[in-house]
Structures are given as C-alpha cells and as structure tokens.
C-alpha cells in the first residue's frame, strides 16, 4: 500500500516525458507513418542508398569486366540480368549505376536548393526592386526548357559527372527560388516575425532562425520530387551522350547503349529502365506522402 | 505631471501612408507624454492611428509606404527619430518591448517557448548560455509557466498561456517601456482578467512604464494611470484616469462612455451611439476632425483646428467648447 503511494507520488513529481520535446516534426513523422505508400517509398530509397553505398560488396562482378566470350547472354543464374555487348554483367552495372544516379539526383537538388533557396529567401523577404530583379532573371531561366539549358551548360563545360550535376542543378534553380519565395512571403507577414523585429533581431537572424525553419514544408516536398526529376534529366543527358562517359555505368547511358539491340536483347534496356522507374516511383511516393503529412489542414 | 521626469515625449507627430488615392494621414499632430512607471491607456477606434503611433516609437513603420513627416519622439531625453538602425535595434527589446494582439501568431511555431525567451535574452545581454537559460526559467516561472512545460511548443499551449509566454519574452530584458497592443483582445474574458492582473503585477515589480493600446475603457479603468483618447489620428483628450472617468470632456469621449451598456440601468432602450463615421483619412477635414459627427459643432469647428485647452493640471482637451479655459503653453495647433 505504502509503496503504491510512493509510486504515485513519484509519478506526480517527475515531469511528464510524453509532452516533452514532442515537436512538430514528430507529428509529421506520425502522420507520414500512416501512409503505407510513403513508407514503401522511403524503404525503397533507403535500400537503394544502401545498395549504392555497398556496391563493391554486393555486385557479383566489377562493372567494367568484359567477357567477350559471353556477350549478349540472357538472364541466367550466372548473370542474373544477363550481359551486354561486351559481356559485362548488367546486374553489376545497374548496382554501380545507382551510385551515379543517386549522387546526381541529390547533389543537383542540393545545388539548386542552396542557390535557389537563398535567392528566393532574399527576394521574398525584401520584396520590391530586389525581388523584381531576381525573379525576372529566374523567369528568363524558366523560359528556357530545363533540358535544353542543361544541355547547353554541359556543352559549354564539357561532359562528365561534376558538370552534369552542375548543369542539372542550375537548370532547376528557378523552381526552388519560386517555392522558397512564396513560402517566405506568406511567413513574412506573421506576427512572430514582427515580434522578432520588435525584439531587436537583425534581418539575417530573422531569415535563418524564424523564416526558413517555418518555410521548410513545401521546400522538402519540392526537393523529394525534384530528386526524381534530376535523376531523370541526368539519365536523359547520359542517353544523348552528354552525361556519364563509358565505361562508367549510368542507367541512362545503359539505356542508350542497349537501344541498338532492343529487338533481340530487350533485357539490356529493360533492367536499367526498371531501375530508373522504381527510383522515381519511390521518390514520388515519398514526396506525395510528405506533402500530405506536412499539410497543416490535414492535422488531426 | 508636466515635469522633467519624462520617459517618453512625443511632440506634433505626423505620419502619412502612401496610397494610390494620395497620402493617408494616419497620425496628425499627436502629442503624448509618459513618465517613469506610469501606465498610459491609449484608446480609440480602429484606424485612429494607435498602432501606427506605437510603430513610430519602435521605428518599425513599413518603409517606404509610411513616412514620419514631422514631429519629435524623445525617449529618455534622446530623439528616437535621429537614431541609426543599429542603435534602434539595441533599443528594441532591451529598452522598449512590445506585446502583440494575437498570442496565437506571435510565437514561432517551430521553436520551444524557452528557446524563444532565451533568444530575446541572448540578443541583448552578454552573459553565458547557462545564465541565459536560468533567467529564461525564472521569467517563465514568474508569468506562471510551470517548469515541465517550458520545452513545449506553442501549439501545445492555450491562448492565455501563450500570451503569458509573450509577456515573459517582452519583460525578459527588463525594458523601461512596454507597449501592449491590445494584449487581451484575442482572449476570453476570464483569461483577460488573469492576464491583466499578471501584467499589472509584473509592471509594478519591474517598474516598467506601459502604453496600453485598447478599445476597452474597462481595461483602462483597471490598470492605467493616464488615458489618451485618440480620434482620427490625434489625441483629443488626455487626462489622468480619475478626471477622465469623472469628467469626460471631449464630445467624442462622452460619446464613447455613452455607448457602454450599463448593467445597473433599468432603461432598456437602445444604446446611444456616435452617429456617422470618422473622416476619410485621405481627405481630412479642414477644421476639427470630429466636427462632422459632433452634436455641439459650431461654425468655427468646421474651419479651424481646436487648440489644446487645459481643464486642470492633468487634463487637456482639444475642443472649442472649452475656449474659455487657458491653453496649454506653447503655440496652438493650427
């Protein structure tokens, strides 16, 4: 009896851990978990990342090992996805290819996000002439089809992984600038921004401490979907020969290499194509799930 | 009351906003004084220029739309209008703090409440992180936020609790002047009473002067020492609380009092309202701004701006009805 009383007392005295640090992001995670498709997408992406990370251990053969006696082999127990025109194992090449695709996807979005986000935040926060200047430049960039812009940048810089990432990144800057600008403009009018000014905060502090954390939701969604777009653009660039150069494996380049043999050896294009499709699908599922989870109107 | 011990002194302030229909005269010839430790009630209807005045004091008028055309704002003997942005930033929060109308939106939703208090303290005090945290705890405790709640986010708080946090933030650097812009409008009546009680208590404890912007004459009676009644951009009556409530002199002030329902009155006839609307601020009247609605309006009211007449040491009124009284020293308002 007595021990029970003590227990209850202890319970009353210890602050409730449940309520502690139950931040808004935890709620988002809770809502995200409810969507099975989003979790599926997330799991696929994590698996892909692990595959890319441990490609050296997973891949059965080196990606550039040629076996000229065994070209154009159909899928078998030895070469699960078959071999290409040089007798290279397609499974190994798809596995190594995930490295390039994910790298290009995330880094290109990273570039676009940092530059576009900065420009968008500045123009949204200050408005007026600065806003006009930045956004008109963005409009000019938007007017050029992003693929064409990426092609011309690569043509100027020369093909290669780094230049590919830069090209894809630059061509998607305007999208992020617009998204961040819109988010910043809606948050700029909130009273807590005014309250922060009244407290004597500098502009830069207000932008980084108050506005950016509050405008993350649409940006996160845009980025997840943007990674998918960037991977596709990169694959497209490799397909026309402006991306990754042989013998490095890249899904788009593999598609491009296999297209000559599509009638007789369709698996050569099928497997890299499926890899692209699954990645994009997973990212889109996650992006959609995040959009729902971050939408405050759906809060319950 | 008109001694040298003034914390804040506003003289002939004139603020206009730019608009497509020409300049909007938001504040015109506003005079205001506030001594140390005093609470001033700032009463007027929506659009009378109360908030514009508050923002002028803080130096936060939206630029370039709003402009201070003329006038002086002196805080502790120094002109605020001559200060550079950097100096103003140091004054904001440390010397002059402000509480906003709606506690629901004046806290950052992605920061815990203690972080927000800490931010304010660390902006203005050069002390270690640990001391900042300690002070944040203390001030939150003072406004009645329990220790186990300080790591919560604003969305986990009720409106009254949020306003307590806002008050804690405002008072955390021990400001000399607190501007409260309708701090209780968004709260229900019982919480209003609690928050007012808290503000009154803390104000006395910290010795802070306060400007309380409100529509509510009840709140004024509750916590203010002096009252300024504002109409269409200028102060029409300025008095200590007792003389204002016993002897409301400006026709507008009387109109305000007449439009408060009286629970003790048997008479259930309709409330007496002030007929008409305030003048269009883009097109101000030539004479007294209230002359278009005033039942005592005379010929000269339509042509000239009334001067500031002294009814007593602590009671001035801008109305020609009191022409037989002495004017306040200095040149009359034209």
């Amino acid at each position: 009896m007595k021990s029970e009383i003590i227990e209850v007392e202890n319970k009353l005295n210890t602050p409730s851990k449940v309520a502690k640090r139950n931040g808004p992001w935890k709620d988002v995670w809770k809502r995200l978990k409810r969507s099975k498709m989003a979790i599926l997408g997330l799991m696929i992406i994590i698996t892909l990342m692990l595959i890319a990370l441990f490609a050296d251990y997973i891949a059965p053969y080196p990606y550039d090992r040629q076996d000229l006696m065994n070209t154009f082999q159909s899928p078998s127990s030895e070469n699960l996805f078959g071999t290409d025109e040089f007798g290279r194992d397609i499974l190994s090449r798809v596995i190594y290819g995930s490295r390039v695709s994910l790298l290009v996807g995330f880094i290109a979005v990273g570039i676009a996000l940092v530059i576009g986000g900065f420009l968008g935040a500045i123009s949204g926060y200050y408005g007026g002439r600065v806003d006009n200047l930045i956004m008109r430049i963005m409009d000019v960039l938007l007017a050029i089809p992003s693929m064409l812009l990426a092609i011309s940048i690569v043509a100027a810089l020369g093909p290669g992984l780094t230049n590919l990432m830069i090209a894809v990144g630059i061509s998607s800057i305007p999208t992020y600038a617009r998204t961040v600008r819109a988010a910043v403009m809606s948050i700029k009018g909130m009273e807590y921004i005014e309250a922060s000014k009244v407290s004597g905060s500098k502009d830069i502090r207000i932008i980084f401490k108050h506005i950016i954390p509050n405008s993350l939701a649409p940006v996160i969604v845009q980025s997840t979907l943007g990674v998918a777009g960037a991977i596709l653009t990169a694959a497209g660039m490799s397909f026309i020969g402006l991306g990754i150069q042989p013998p490095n494996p890249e899904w788009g380049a593999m598609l491009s290499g296999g297209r000559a043999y599509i009638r007789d050896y369709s698996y050569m294009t099928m497997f890299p194509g499926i890899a692209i499709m699954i990645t994009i699908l997973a990212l889109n599922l996650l992006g959609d799930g995040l959009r729902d989870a971050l939408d405050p109107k759906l809060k319950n | 009351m008109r001694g040298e011990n003034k914390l804040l002194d506003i003289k002939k302030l004139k603020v206009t906003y730019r608009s497509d229909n020409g300049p909007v005269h938001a504040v015109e010839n506003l005079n205001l004084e506030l001594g140390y430790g005093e609470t001033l009630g700032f009463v007027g209807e929506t659009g009378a220029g109360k908030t514009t005045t508050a923002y002028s004091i803080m130096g936060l008028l939206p630029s370039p739309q709003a402009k201070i055309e003329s006038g002086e704002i002196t805080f502790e003997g120094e002109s605020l209008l001559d200060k550079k942005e950097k100096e103003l930033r140091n004054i904001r929060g440390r010397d002059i703090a402000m509480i906003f109308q709606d506690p629901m939106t004046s806290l950052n939703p992605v920061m815990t409440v203690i972080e927000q208090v800490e931010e304010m303290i660390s902006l203005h005090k050069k002390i270690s992180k640990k001391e900042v945290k300690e002070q944040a705890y203390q001030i939150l405790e003072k406004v009645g936020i329990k220790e186990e709640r300080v790591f919560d986010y604003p969305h986990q708080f009720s409106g009254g609790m949020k306003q307590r946090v806002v008050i804690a933030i405002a008072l955390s650097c021990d400001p000399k002047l607190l501007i409260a812009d309708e701090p209780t409008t968004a709260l229900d009546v019982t919480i209003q009473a609690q928050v007012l009680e808290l503000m009154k208590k803390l104000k006395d404890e910290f010795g802070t002067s306060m400007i309380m912007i409100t529509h509510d004459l009840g709140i004024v009676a509750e916590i203010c020492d002096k009252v300024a009644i504002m109409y269409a951009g200028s102060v029409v009556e300025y008095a200590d609380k007792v003389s204002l409530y016993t002897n409301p002199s400006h026709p507008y002030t009387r109109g305000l009092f007449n439009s408060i329902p009286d629970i003790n009155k048997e008479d259930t006839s309709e409330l007496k309202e002030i007929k008409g609307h305030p003048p269009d601020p883009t097109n101000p009247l030539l004479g007294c701004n209230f002359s278009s609605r005033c039942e005592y309006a005379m010929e000269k009211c339509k042509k000239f701006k009334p001067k500031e007449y002294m009814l007593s040491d602590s009671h001035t009124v801008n109305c020609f009805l009191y022409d037989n009284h002495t004017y306040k020293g200095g040149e009359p308002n034209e």
Side-chain angles (χ1 to χ4, degrees):
Chain A
M1 185 64 200
K2 203 175 181 189
S3 67
E4 258 174 52
I5 293 175
I6 290 172
E7 207 173 283
V8 170
E9 263 178 9
N10 278 343
K11 249 185 208 162
L12 287 177
N13 287 334
T14 41
S16 64
K17 287 261 158 36
V18 194
K20 229 175 195 180
R21 300 214 176 261
N22 191 6
W25 295 110
K26 216 166 182 180
D27 291 347
V28 168
W29 172 239
K30 238 192 247 162
R31 285 200 297 277
L32 186 68
K33 269 198 297 192
R34 259 182 247 158
S35 155
K36 290 203 181 67
M37 296 315 271
I39 292 300
L40 180 71
L42 187 65
M43 271 166 22
I44 293 175
I45 291 160
I46 291 172
T47 317
L48 279 169
M49 283 178 169
L50 290 175
I51 288 175
L53 212 58
F54 297 107
D56 292 334
Y57 304 100
I58 298 169
Y61 306 99
Y63 61 84
D64 52 356
R65 203 202 67 166
Q66 301 187 2
D67 183 355
L68 295 172
M69 302 303 290
N70 284 315
T71 54
F72 300 119
Q73 294 295 310
S74 306
S76 66
S77 57
E78 235 149 89
N79 304 98
L80 279 179
F81 288 1
T83 60
D84 64 7
E85 73 269 36
F86 299 112
R88 294 176 298 196
D89 181 44
I90 293 181
L91 174 63
S92 306
R93 288 179 68 75
V94 168
I95 288 173
Y96 276 100
S98 65
R99 279 188 172 174
V100 176
S101 288
L102 291 183
L103 204 64
V104 170
F106 284 101
I107 303 261
V109 166
I111 293 172
L113 189 59
V114 171
I115 301 177
F118 179 74
L119 291 175
I122 296 285
S123 76
Y125 186 75
Y126 290 104
R129 248 177 239 162
V130 184
D131 178 33
N132 231 333
L133 183 72
I134 294 178
M135 287 331 281
R136 292 304 76 79
I137 296 173
M138 292 299 123
D139 283 347
V140 170
L141 282 181
L142 269 180
I144 308 168
S146 67
M147 190 76 188
L148 208 58
L149 188 62
I151 289 172
S152 39
I153 294 170
V154 169
L157 297 177
L161 181 63
T162 324
N163 291 346
L164 181 65
M165 292 189 297
I166 293 173
V168 175
I170 289 178
S171 61
S172 45
I173 285 175
T175 331
Y176 293 91
R178 301 225 116 184
T179 315
V180 172
R181 174 176 172 265
V184 167
M185 281 173 81
S186 70
I187 285 156
K188 190 175 72 169
M190 304 298 284
E191 252 180 7
Y192 55 85
I193 303 300
E194 203 85 332
S196 182
K197 271 187 210 160
V198 164
S199 311
S201 297
K202 285 184 193 148
D203 285 351
I204 200 89
R205 187 194 184 91
I206 293 174
I207 292 178
F208 280 100
K209 196 132 193 207
H210 296 285
I211 293 185
I212 289 186
N214 277 298
S215 56
L216 277 182
V219 178
I220 288 173
V221 174
Q222 177 71 46
S223 313
T224 346
L225 299 174
V227 170
I231 291 176
L232 267 186
T233 315
M237 300 282 286
S238 300
F239 185 85
I240 55 172
L242 287 172
I244 308 303
Q245 298 304 302
N248 291 328
E250 205 276 345
W251 295 339
M254 289 168 75
L255 275 181
S256 163
R259 77 179 194 280
Y261 313 105
I262 196 162
R263 266 208 218 163
D264 304 316
Y265 312 105
S266 56
Y267 56 88
M268 278 179 66
T269 45
M270 199 169 76
F271 290 114
I274 288 175
I276 294 177
M277 194 198 79
I278 288 178
T279 314
I280 309 296
L281 181 69
L283 283 164
N284 278 317
L285 286 178
L286 180 66
D288 280 347
L290 273 175
R291 175 162 41 212
D292 293 345
L294 290 167
D295 188 347
K297 274 177 237 144
L298 298 175
K299 238 177 204 171
N300 39 29
Chain B
M1 143 189 164
R2 305 225 175 243
E4 288 304 302
N5 268 342
K6 281 184 266 183
L7 175 68
L8 180 76
D9 191 4
I10 303 180
K11 279 208 179 87
K12 297 200 148 203
L13 182 71
K14 182 173 174 184
V15 182
T16 53
Y17 285 93
R18 221 168 52 186
S19 85
D20 291 342
N21 307 327
V24 177
H25 301 270
V27 173
E28 193 112 26
N29 265 321
L30 181 118
N31 298 305
L32 206 62
E33 291 173 349
L34 185 65
Y36 285 93
E38 283 180 342
T39 304
L40 172 77
F42 212 35
V43 185
E45 57 198 276
T46 307
K50 307 182 299 273
T51 306
T52 301
T53 309
Y55 275 49
S56 316
I57 299 171
M58 303 292 296
L60 279 176
L61 284 172
S63 144
Q65 301 93 310
K67 195 167 168 251
I68 296 180
E69 300 277 344
S70 57
E72 281 171 48
I73 301 178
T74 320
F75 180 75
E76 294 204 287
E78 287 176 54
S79 167
L80 282 182
L81 300 181
D82 297 340
K83 291 218 187 274
K84 293 201 184 70
E85 177 61 23
K86 205 177 160 213
E87 294 170 288
L88 277 177
R89 261 207 307 269
N90 283 327
I91 289 175
R92 281 178 213 144
R94 193 189 61 199
D95 293 331
I96 310 179
M98 191 159 171
I99 296 175
F100 287 96
Q101 181 171 351
D102 190 356
M104 310 293 163
T105 57
S106 51
L107 291 170
N108 185 338
V110 300
M111 283 166 80
T112 60
V113 297
I114 191 155
E115 276 174 345
Q116 306 195 35
V117 182
E118 282 168 9
E119 190 193 5
M120 176 76 156
I121 297 174
S122 58
L123 268 175
H124 294 292
K125 290 187 186 170
K126 300 248 173 307
I127 49 175
S128 72
K129 273 205 169 129
K130 208 175 147 231
E131 285 171 292
V132 169
K133 187 151 229 128
E134 256 163 44
Q135 293 196 359
Y137 265 114
Q138 278 170 12
I139 189 85
L140 279 170
E141 200 188 333
K142 259 193 193 131
V143 297
I145 305 287
K146 290 201 190 86
E147 204 183 323
E148 67 256 30
R149 300 285 321 261
V150 298
F151 291 111
D152 283 355
Y153 287 86
H155 70 274
Q156 291 162 313
F157 279 60
S158 69
M161 296 271 277
K162 276 186 214 169
Q163 196 62 298
R164 282 164 192 268
V165 174
V166 172
I167 292 171
I169 294 174
L171 291 177
S172 61
C173 289
D174 201 358
K176 297 184 181 100
L177 173 64
L178 180 66
I179 302 176
D181 190 355
E182 304 183 30
T184 54
T185 311
L187 306 173
D188 65 60
V189 184
T190 43
I191 305 296
Q192 260 185 31
Q194 287 174 17
V195 167
L196 283 178
E197 200 51 48
L198 177 76
M199 287 178 74
K200 204 166 150 185
K201 196 187 97 197
L202 291 175
K203 186 192 95 71
D204 292 341
E205 198 178 322
F206 287 84
T208 314
S209 304
M210 186 156 81
I211 294 180
M212 176 70 114
I213 298 177
T214 181
H215 308 289
D216 192 339
L217 285 164
I219 289 177
V220 172
E222 184 84 20
I223 70 172
C224 296
D225 305 316
K226 285 182 185 162
V227 194
I229 306 283
M230 202 158 171
Y231 180 79
S234 50
V235 172
V236 293
E237 185 162 3
Y238 179 76
D240 65 293
K241 182 170 73 186
V242 178
S243 33
L244 187 95
Y245 280 75
T246 48
N247 181 22
S249 303
H250 196 279
Y252 178 63
T253 316
R254 284 190 212 156
L256 285 183
F257 278 102
N258 281 337
S259 45
I260 301 172
D262 188 347
I263 196 164
N264 296 321
K265 246 187 199 159
E266 288 294 314
D267 182 14
T268 52
S269 64
E270 275 181 45
L271 269 179
K272 210 176 154 194
E273 92 268 47
I274 307 174
K275 290 220 163 51
H277 295 284
D280 177 8
T282 56
N283 189 15
L285 302 180
L286 180 65
C288 170
N289 276 326
F290 192 60
S291 60
S292 58
R293 301 167 79 181
C294 183
E295 50 189 310
Y296 308 101
M298 299 170 279
E299 213 33 55
K300 65 176 167 183
C301 294
K302 309 247 179 220
K303 285 183 188 143
F304 304 101
K305 296 267 184 223
K307 294 153 201 159
E308 203 169 15
Y309 298 101
M310 269 179 112
L311 300 184
S312 74
D313 266 356
S314 58
H315 196 160
T316 59
V317 59
N318 293 40
C319 183
F320 282 122
L321 288 180
Y322 304 91
D323 210 0
N324 51 345
H325 291 75
T326 45
Y327 337 129
K328 188 196 158 190
E331 76 236 70
N333 305 335
E334 67 253 28

